[in-house]
Amino acid sequence: MFIRPPLRRVYLGDRVDNNKAVFNDLKSKIDCLEARIETLKSDNESAERELCLMLDKAKEDAQLALDEAKKEAQLALYEVEKEARLARIKANKDARVALYKTKDELRLANLSLEECRAENSALKSKWVIHSFLR
């Protein structure tokens, strides 16, 4: 048997019986490839679902880590604020003590000044009397 395409001639001869075997072989290979394609599609869908689950898990883990970091930051801020309050209370107490000490020293200085004034007045009186008697 000869087939005559426009530019060449091909002899197919005794291959008619072999064609059916080749056709069946190719058909079985196509069926295997189609089954493989379906398996790969199924695997792809499974992998996609698995990746979505992993992404959701990663998002959840990230949110938990963020919440934990926020909680730790709030605790640290509370501690710093507490230390600042205690430092302010101590500074106010120290300032009050210094103020009372200064007021006491001022009172003592005023008493000393009054004593000096009294002594000065007494000396002036003695001087005036002494000057008068001369």
Side-chain angles (χ1 to χ4, degrees):
M1 171 193 256
F2 284 98
I3 296 178
R4 206 170 171 181
L7 298 176
R8 63 181 176 179
R9 294 178 72 191
V10 176
Y11 174 70
L12 295 175
D14 298 330
R15 298 195 74 166
V16 173
D17 292 334
N18 286 339
N19 282 344
K20 189 160 186 125
V22 168
F23 177 77
N24 287 338
D25 184 48
L26 289 175
K27 186 169 178 6
S28 69
K29 287 181 180 179
I30 288 172
D31 290 342
C32 286
L33 289 174
E34 286 175 346
R36 179 68 179 148
I37 288 171
E38 289 302 316
T39 302
L40 289 173
K41 283 181 182 178
S42 175
D43 290 350
N44 187 29
E45 289 171 0
S46 295
E48 189 175 324
R49 279 192 301 273
E50 188 176 327
L51 286 174
C52 286
L53 290 173
M54 289 171 61
L55 179 61
D56 290 343
K57 177 75 171 125
K59 285 180 182 178
E60 184 180 315
D61 290 347
Q63 185 63 44
L64 289 173
L66 180 63
D67 291 344
E68 184 66 27
K70 183 178 177 182
K71 187 177 179 182
E72 288 175 8
Q74 286 174 338
L75 287 174
L77 178 61
Y78 174 76
E79 288 298 319
V80 168
E81 287 174 344
K82 181 180 174 183
E83 289 175 10
R85 275 193 310 274
L86 292 174
R88 188 185 73 231
I89 290 169
K90 185 181 182 317
N92 284 341
K93 182 180 176 185
D94 292 346
R96 253 186 261 115
V97 167
L99 178 63
Y100 293 145
K101 184 178 178 183
T102 303
K103 281 183 178 180
D104 193 42
E105 289 173 355
L106 181 61
R107 185 183 58 79
L108 292 175
N110 282 334
L111 285 175
S112 179
L113 178 63
E114 287 301 319
E115 288 174 2
C116 287
R117 283 184 181 159
E119 187 179 337
N120 189 26
S121 290
L123 288 174
K124 276 184 183 180
S125 294
K126 283 183 182 179
W127 182 77
V128 169
I129 292 173
H130 186 283
S131 292
F132 184 69
L133 292 175
R134 273 192 200 189

